[in-house]
Amino acid sequence: MPQLEVKNIETYYGPIMAIKGISFEVEESSIVTILGANGAGKTSVLKTISGVMEPEKGTIEFMGKRIDHLDPDKIVRMGISHVPEGREVFHDLTVKENLAMGAFLRRDKDGMARDLETVHAYFPVLEARRGQLAGNMSGGEQQMLAIARALMARPKMLLLDEPSLGLSPVLVKEIYDIIKRINEEQKTTILLVEQNAWMALSTAQFGYILELGRIVMADPCDELMENEDVREFYLGIKEESVRGSKRWKRKKRWR
Amino acid sequence: MALGKLQEAGPPAPGVDTVPKLFWQRVTEWADRTAMREKKFGLWQDITWREYGRMARYTGLALVELGLRPGDRAAIISDDIPEWLYCDMGIQCVGGTTVGIYPTDSPQQVEYVMGHSGSKFYFAEDEEQLDKILEVRDRLPDLKKIIIYDMEGLRDFRDPMAMSYDELLELGKQADQRDPEAFEKLLNIPGPEDTAFLVYTSGTTGPPKGAMITHRNVLAGFHSQRQVLKGYLEDELLTFLPLCHIAERGVTALGMIMNGWVCNFAEEMDTVPQDIREVSPTVFFAVPRIWERFYSAMVLRMKDATWLEKKAFNLAMAVGNACSDYRLHLKEPPVHLRAAFKLADWCVLRNLKRFVGLDRVRMCLSGAAPISPDLLKFYHSLGIDMREVYGQTESTGAATMHYAGGTKFGTVGEALPGIEIRITDEGEILIKGPSVFKGYFRDPDKTAETVRDGWLYTGDVGLIDEDGHVVIKDRLKDIIITSGGKNITPSEIENQLKFSPYINDAVVIGDGRKYLTALIMIDEENVMKYAQDNRIPFTTYKSLTQAPEINKLIWREVEAVNKKFARVETIKKFRLIDIQLTTDDDEITPTMKLKRKYINEKFKDIIESMY
């Protein structure tokens, strides 16, 4: 049985339908990615899973239990941690305090200390800067802090919303290496939403492509990377035209 | 855009016997009237007849400067935009012949049409259409000039053969200033028997053929159609089907110069539902597929309605139905029924019509493919005067039509004035009249095969009923003869299937087989909605077509259709087409019909699996 099963969810922002009925599943300890352009509905999917948004229709099951319509804190308790887009850390708190916030719901002091060590092992820079205000750190460091904070809740599943956003290629690679390590070593399931298709496809095992609130493709990542449409529209690999430059795009087919 | 007093367009002036002359008469008569509208930056912009005339004039004169001689061909490859019409008229006014190419055609198809027609000029909408010709131009010795409408992305593009449309217009303007009388002289060059335009028809056998439509053909259609359908200067159209197809060409380009209809260009195919609500056309021509869509939209809208709304809708439709029954027998409904309909319309139907943008519509036409009689009936119950038109490219569009108040479901109406219809012993429909085309360009053999003694062999099988209405059965070559020797006309069954809101199109198979089967293309929107409402999980389109619940749903629809037919005509098995076909695919026509021949080939294995 998959760890997460999303069935027919529809989510609205006021009168606007952001997710037009999608279904997908995530296997335990896997890395799954959802790709899509701006406004495709990627963030809404994650928000719906973590309980920040409520689906109008459809069901979400986590480890066999319905979690749609549960409050976000209950969902965190069940083991899903959400790292929102845009490195939302508490700017006026120190690194250490930020990490403590991640473990807010926990009472086991020993476990928390062990996890803090693990987190520091993944992100040594956070240990070095533990007394610094989070707001004074660089974008890459804030992203690391956001991920680290989520790990402090000891999640079974991590929802990552565009961890590469606004970061230099070197930093993106560094963060992705850590994401892979967390998945391998902690067996944490990772659901990754990205615009950086290349990074996401080479990290994840299975991918979904979301367009205008609907899934148009669902395949293992190595197959997606070979797909003609994915190559042209997501990886930017184009056939050359007779003129040498080509600005127009052919129709997407998704097959 | 409220409809005030209605005015009919005047007849062609004496001596006006070609499209250019009629066009110029209209430009002079209607100079300050709106000819067309285009949506730019979110606003509908008016283009007057004077402007239309000026653009056509400059285009024509510039082409002459560049070497266009009477009888030469010039091709246009573009979606429906004002430039399409400017160039079409510009080319014809200086004695040229317009060749329309489908914007969805591949470079190879473009090469065929350009090569076969020997076109000297190629009007390209944009970069995409430009790239097609650049890829194949080495093999097109007749090509002289490429003209591009939209130069976006081409600032650094230099090529001795290419120029922008603005540059062409400038050339025409200069020529006009040098010799202001040149254009009027050129207008008189083409004669009624000269070819106004070529229409390439997608041949189901062999390469496309270029039907030659003369000026006489066009004007003949004018006289006969006008006797059965009234057109007013105040009428508004929505133009969105390809202009290179005879149907849209006839309704828009010719409807404009004949009836003064105002053409409103839809922004894109995808925006048609919004555009139609904004324009709220008074005359609306569409292919059955579009009518099916509106029907599904309205029916599904009612499914989401409350109990009371549903009751009200059913009651209103019953009243509408009773009213239309009277009208279809050319009788005025009794007063109480008319009053009831007014009420039903006011309370229910009007809102529903507004929901799809048909609240102002005065006359609807369906053509280019057979439509289910049930669908016609549905629209009549809504109080919409919907007529079916039958014709072919080779008959310059309409040959038969439902006359005003003379709609008879299941028929395609009566022969237009001046048109004769005959049925051969094999049941083939023949058409004779002044709108029958001149022949296929550079193909005397095919011409001789198609037109014999002035009779156009349509390739359609049908009959003329006791009221003189023509009933179309099917394409002669599509008739299925099962291994049991039964003759079956697949399109009757297919039309019934398409009437289901969940089925977009279907191809019935069974020639030389023991029983009938079908390949079905689902209606994506509606089936997805069904899946959502019934919590059927799916990811992609493919997985949707494989969901057992969806196959059950379609099977129920097929069974409902089966009940209407004899046992040998029932469908025993079906498969859903699991890829989304787009107009770029060979399997589908630009008007979104499944092409039997290609479908049979492409899905050979799937078809075999059903036997």
Side-chain angles (χ1 to χ4, degrees):
Chain A
M1 192 184 70
Q3 191 177 30
L4 181 77
E5 257 184 298
V6 174
K7 282 186 192 160
N8 303 86
I9 55 166
E10 279 178 20
T11 307
Y12 289 78
Y13 282 106
I16 295 162
M17 203 189 217
I19 307 176
K20 298 174 185 165
I22 65 170
S23 307
F24 64 92
E25 39 196 54
V26 179
E27 292 294 334
E28 194 169 346
S29 303
S30 66
I31 305 183
V32 170
T33 184
I34 299 177
L35 298 179
N38 276 332
K42 304 180 302 281
T43 299
S44 310
V45 172
L46 294 194
K47 282 187 178 167
T48 310
I49 296 171
S50 64
V52 182
M53 287 172 81
E54 267 194 28
E56 200 84 356
K57 271 189 196 158
T59 59
I60 304 172
E61 278 176 38
F62 182 64
M63 300 175 48
K65 288 201 186 73
R66 286 278 293 273
I67 60 164
D68 47 288
H69 302 292
L70 284 188
D71 286 334
D73 61 306
K74 297 238 170 57
I75 295 174
V76 176
R77 264 183 236 274
M78 290 178 74
I80 299 182
S81 278
H82 185 171
V83 182
E85 183 182 358
R87 320 187 272 268
E88 288 179 30
V89 292
F90 301 104
H91 284 216
D92 300 329
L93 298 185
T94 63
V95 170
K96 204 175 152 203
E97 286 164 339
N98 262 286
L99 292 176
M101 290 303 285
F104 189 73
L105 293 170
R106 294 174 63 179
R107 293 285 168 267
D108 55 326
K109 281 238 163 68
D110 295 352
M112 280 160 68
R114 260 203 316 279
D115 286 347
L116 189 64
E117 258 173 58
T118 320
V119 163
H120 281 157
Y122 285 123
F123 303 103
V125 64
L126 298 181
E127 189 172 16
R129 307 258 164 110
R130 59 182 181 275
Q132 198 178 328
L133 287 185
N136 295 342
M137 297 208 300
S138 75
E141 288 161 355
Q142 287 187 13
Q143 183 64 63
M144 291 180 189
L145 177 57
I147 297 174
R149 187 184 56 192
L151 285 176
M152 286 303 290
R154 224 190 216 190
K156 298 188 181 76
M157 176 179 278
L158 203 52
L159 309 180
L160 293 176
D161 197 347
E162 295 204 34
S164 73
L165 191 77
L167 299 185
S168 74
V170 181
L171 266 175
V172 171
K173 199 177 169 300
E174 203 181 320
I175 286 188
Y176 267 89
D177 284 342
I178 298 170
I179 292 171
K180 251 193 260 185
R181 271 180 57 206
I182 294 170
N183 169 258
E184 278 161 20
E185 295 166 14
Q186 312 292 322
K187 303 289 170 225
T188 313
T189 313
I190 289 171
L191 178 58
L192 176 68
V193 146
E194 259 298 356
Q195 288 205 51
N196 186 334
W198 184 259
M199 224 42 240
L201 287 178
S202 43
T203 308
Q205 292 110 26
F206 200 89
Y208 293 95
I209 297 202
L210 196 62
E211 292 228 328
L212 298 174
R214 270 191 190 138
I215 291 178
V216 292
M217 286 216 94
D219 276 310
C221 287
D222 45 347
E223 282 174 36
L224 283 178
M225 278 170 123
E226 294 305 315
N227 181 280
E228 216 186 313
D229 283 328
V230 175
R231 288 171 77 84
E232 176 158 353
F233 297 105
Y234 284 87
L235 299 173
I237 304 164
K238 287 193 222 172
E239 322 150 32
E240 279 295 299
S241 84
V242 256
R243 277 182 300 112
S245 71
K246 182 174 147 195
R247 197 181 51 90
W248 58 277
K249 289 187 169 159
R250 59 177 179 76
K251 263 198 211 113
K252 294 175 195 171
R253 302 152 173 270
W254 303 121
R255 56 176 82 137
Chain B
M1 286 196 265
L3 274 187
K5 236 181 128 210
L6 300 176
Q7 255 188 81
E8 254 184 283
V16 168
D17 55 0
T18 63
V19 173
K21 286 181 198 160
L22 181 58
F23 170 64
W24 210 248
Q25 179 192 331
R26 297 316 194 193
V27 168
T28 322
E29 269 175 357
W30 297 336
D32 291 315
R33 295 194 81 97
T34 302
M36 54 186 113
R37 284 192 201 92
E38 179 190 27
K39 200 172 177 185
K40 267 191 180 163
F41 303 112
L43 292 173
W44 289 94
Q45 316 264 351
D46 288 10
I47 296 164
T48 61
W49 279 91
R50 179 177 290 116
E51 181 69 0
Y52 185 8
R54 194 171 64 92
M55 298 302 257
R57 184 184 183 109
Y58 291 165
T59 306
L61 288 171
L63 288 175
V64 173
E65 287 285 297
L66 294 170
L68 182 111
R69 296 292 162 258
D72 282 352
R73 275 81 51 208
I76 305 174
I77 181 165
S78 164
D79 286 318
D80 298 354
I81 50 172
E83 286 81 356
W84 210 110
L85 296 179
Y86 302 157
C87 292
D88 183 28
M89 284 301 148
I91 294 162
Q92 291 185 41
C93 282
V94 297
T97 298
T98 309
V99 182
I101 308 180
Y102 286 106
T104 47
D105 274 2
S106 68
Q108 289 67 39
Q109 289 167 313
V110 168
E111 180 187 345
Y112 181 82
V113 174
M114 289 296 291
H116 184 267
S117 65
S119 292
K120 278 191 185 171
F121 297 93
Y122 179 87
F123 286 94
E125 180 175 10
D126 53 17
E127 199 187 358
E128 179 179 359
Q129 308 300 354
L130 168 69
D131 281 356
K132 289 181 188 170
I133 196 80
L134 293 182
E135 208 177 308
V136 299
R137 68 169 159 184
D138 296 343
R139 296 185 289 277
L140 297 171
D142 296 314
L143 180 66
K144 275 204 159 77
K145 208 83 193 167
I146 300 164
I147 301 111
I148 309 143
Y149 298 142
D150 181 359
M151 292 295 286
E152 205 183 322
L154 295 169
R155 205 188 311 158
D156 300 324
F157 172 69
R158 295 282 174 276
D159 189 289
M161 202 188 247
M163 71 195 293
S164 73
Y165 187 54
D166 287 338
E167 287 174 89
L168 182 92
L169 289 174
E170 189 51 39
L171 201 66
K173 193 174 172 187
Q174 285 164 11
D176 196 30
Q177 279 160 357
R178 263 198 322 277
D179 183 1
E181 270 141 49
F183 185 74
E184 270 82 358
K185 274 183 219 148
L186 287 163
L187 267 185
N188 290 313
I189 294 179
E193 295 306 323
D194 286 329
T195 307
F197 51 88
L198 292 182
V199 177
Y200 277 83
T201 58
S202 48
T204 35
T205 48
K209 297 165 289 189
M212 295 187 283
I213 308 295
T214 65
H215 294 284
R216 188 173 75 105
N217 291 152
V218 173
L219 293 197
F222 173 69
H223 291 296
S224 58
Q225 281 181 39
R226 246 167 95 97
Q227 294 178 46
V228 297
L229 60 84
K230 283 229 182 298
Y232 300 105
L233 293 175
E234 288 78 10
D235 278 325
E236 302 273 346
L237 297 170
L238 184 75
T239 300
F240 61 100
L241 295 167
L243 272 167
C244 37
H245 190 282
I246 190 75
E248 191 64 273
R249 187 69 155 279
V251 174
T252 295
L254 307 175
M256 284 169 77
I257 59 169
M258 289 172 179
N259 305 320
W261 288 346
V262 179
C263 147
N264 296 280
F265 286 104
E267 294 158 276
E268 271 174 61
M269 203 61 184
D270 296 340
T271 60
V272 168
Q274 286 97 294
D275 292 331
I276 182 172
R277 274 191 290 250
E278 287 177 16
V279 171
S280 188
T282 62
V283 173
F284 194 67
F285 169 82
V287 292
R289 199 183 140 96
I290 306 281
W291 294 120
E292 285 154 13
R293 268 202 201 160
F294 286 156
Y295 164 78
S296 310
M298 287 190 265
V299 166
L300 289 178
R301 170 84 182 70
M302 287 320 297
K303 276 198 181 156
D304 280 346
T306 61
W307 175 85
L308 189 69
E309 284 172 322
K310 277 181 200 158
K311 269 269 179 277
F313 171 71
N314 290 338
L315 200 65
M317 285 303 276
V319 172
N321 203 351
C323 259
S324 83
D325 269 350
Y326 274 98
R327 294 224 167 82
L328 296 175
H329 291 95
L330 293 175
K331 273 184 267 176
E332 199 45 32
V335 172
H336 71 274
L337 209 52
R338 266 185 293 166
F341 182 77
K342 264 249 151 60
L343 189 71
D345 192 43
W346 201 78
C347 297
V348 185
L349 303 179
R350 206 181 44 158
N351 290 324
L352 210 52
K353 285 186 273 187
R354 189 176 299 141
F355 171 68
V356 290
L358 292 175
D359 49 321
R360 280 207 312 171
V361 85
R362 191 174 63 72
M363 177 173 63
C364 286
L365 300 167
S366 174
I371 189 167
S372 153
D374 295 342
L375 206 53
L376 281 183
K377 203 169 157 94
F378 172 82
Y379 284 101
H380 274 268
S381 299
L382 279 178
I384 291 175
D385 177 17
M386 171 109 134
R387 326 249 197 105
E388 195 170 356
V389 180
Y390 163 76
Q392 298 188 320
T393 304
E394 290 81 355
S395 64
T396 319
T400 75
M401 188 188 287
H402 287 134
Y403 287 23
T407 303
K408 187 173 177 191
F409 302 135
T411 78
V412 292
E414 300 158 72
L416 290 173
I419 300 280
E420 284 177 74
I421 305 266
R422 216 179 77 190
I423 312 285
T424 65
D425 296 341
E426 290 82 48
E428 187 172 359
I429 296 170
L430 309 186
I431 300 173
K432 193 177 207 167
S435 57
V436 169
F437 79 141
K438 192 158 89 172
Y440 294 113
F441 188 64
R442 293 182 174 165
D443 199 342
D445 294 348
K446 273 265 149 49
T447 305
E449 227 174 82
T450 312
V451 186
R452 287 172 249 165
D453 295 329
W455 287 98
L456 169 67
Y457 282 67
T458 61
D460 288 325
V461 179
L463 52 91
I464 301 176
D465 74 1
E466 64 284 359
D467 297 329
H469 281 254
V470 176
V471 179
I472 310 287
K473 289 283 184 196
D474 216 321
R475 295 292 294 162
L476 192 54
K477 59 178 183 335
D478 288 346
I479 297 232
I480 291 174
I481 304 171
T482 60
S483 59
K486 272 277 171 196
N487 279 29
I488 289 161
T489 50
S491 66
E492 275 180 74
I493 306 170
E494 287 159 4
N495 286 336
Q496 288 293 331
L497 288 171
K498 281 191 280 183
F499 191 56
S500 154
Y502 301 112
I503 297 175
N504 218 330
D505 208 350
V507 169
V508 171
I509 299 140
D511 201 35
R513 314 263 194 181
K514 271 210 286 264
Y515 51 87
L516 298 186
T517 60
L519 279 176
I520 291 174
M521 175 159 76
I522 57 169
D523 185 289
E524 192 188 351
E525 282 300 318
N526 296 341
V527 172
M528 276 192 185
K529 188 169 183 317
Y530 177 86
Q532 275 307 105
D533 291 347
N534 293 281
R535 297 162 182 265
I536 302 160
F538 65 96
T539 52
T540 58
Y541 184 82
K542 193 181 177 119
S543 78
L544 184 66
T545 61
Q546 287 164 348
E549 294 93 333
I550 298 301
N551 280 275
K552 268 185 216 140
L553 165 77
I554 301 295
W555 179 238
R556 282 198 297 273
E557 299 291 309
V558 171
E559 277 185 316
V561 168
N562 278 345
K563 289 205 184 93
K564 300 183 181 178
F565 290 95
R567 253 179 69 93
V568 285
E569 292 174 318
T570 56
I571 292 171
K572 300 283 185 293
K573 290 179 187 173
F574 73 91
R575 294 280 188 277
L576 300 181
I577 294 177
D578 65 358
I579 49 174
Q580 271 170 300
L581 295 170
T582 72
T583 44
D584 283 359
D585 292 302
D586 284 339
E587 294 79 17
I588 213 158
T589 67
T591 44
M592 298 297 272
K593 287 185 274 182
L594 286 175
K595 283 192 209 158
R596 192 178 303 275
K597 183 188 135 201
Y598 284 99
I599 293 287
N600 284 345
E601 239 159 65
K602 176 141 184 171
F603 300 101
K604 217 169 20 197
D605 298 342
I606 299 179
I607 292 171
E608 285 310 320
S609 76
M610 290 191 282
Y611 290 98

